[in-house]
Amino acid sequence: MAGWFTEGATEEEFRLLGTRCSACGTVYFPREDGRCRNPGCAGGELAEVALSKRGTVWSCTDGRYRPPPPYVSDPGVPWVPYTLVAVELAAERMVVLGQAAPGVGVADLPVGSVVEVVPGVLDEDAAAGTVHTTWHWRPVAAEALS
């Protein structure tokens, strides 16, 4: 997902990347490189902007079953449940959807709790030596908020 997040960054430096319109200030994620999509804006230059590292849980749910076709997955590989999180980024005035970090479930993500974006693995092809990176949301410990 080239251009959607900082690549090769340390976990502390990892950020989702969006774009901001110079005319109206609207922020987009995923990025918009063509024109401002705000219908009330005549348009301006779009500049890359790193989104907030932390946000608050707006909602979450879990995926406990393998979706039916046309979802593509290898039926020979056991299904691994995952958690989807909708995170509100207050400064950008948007909600961004993404997977929770491995081992983080719905019970770990009460609405309003603080999470941070971290790099994660989307897919790994051991034969080709390829790792496709994505982003995950991870709870922030209460003591780290002080």
Side-chain angles (χ1 to χ4, degrees):
M1 302 176 102
W4 285 33
F5 48 81
T6 54
E7 303 222 19
T10 65
E11 191 171 285
E12 292 77 31
E13 296 168 337
F14 185 84
R15 296 286 188 288
L16 294 175
L17 298 174
T19 49
R20 175 178 284 125
C21 175
S22 63
C24 69
T26 302
V27 177
Y28 297 102
F29 180 81
R31 62 184 303 121
E32 171 61 56
D33 293 315
R35 61 178 172 73
C36 181
R37 295 186 305 230
N38 179 347
C41 178
E45 289 187 29
L46 298 171
E48 183 175 273
V49 60
L51 303 183
S52 299
K53 174 98 174 140
R54 292 183 175 177
T56 56
V57 174
W58 187 74
S59 183
C60 63
T61 190
D62 55 5
R64 294 183 178 261
Y65 67 93
R66 185 186 311 266
Y71 182 83
V72 178
S73 69
D74 183 350
V77 175
W79 180 254
V80 178
Y82 61 92
T83 301
L84 285 176
V85 189
V87 177
E88 182 177 27
L89 302 178
E92 291 82 2
R93 298 176 54 204
M94 70 171 54
V95 174
V96 176
L97 188 66
Q99 279 190 333
V104 175
V106 171
D108 305 313
L109 300 166
V111 170
S113 62
V114 178
V115 292
E116 64 184 352
V117 68
V118 294
V121 174
L122 176 65
D123 183 49
E124 213 168 338
D125 183 347
T130 305
V131 176
H132 297 107
T133 306
T134 189
W135 68 92
H136 286 156
W137 295 103
R138 175 179 69 195
V140 175
E143 56 272 5
L145 297 173
S146 309

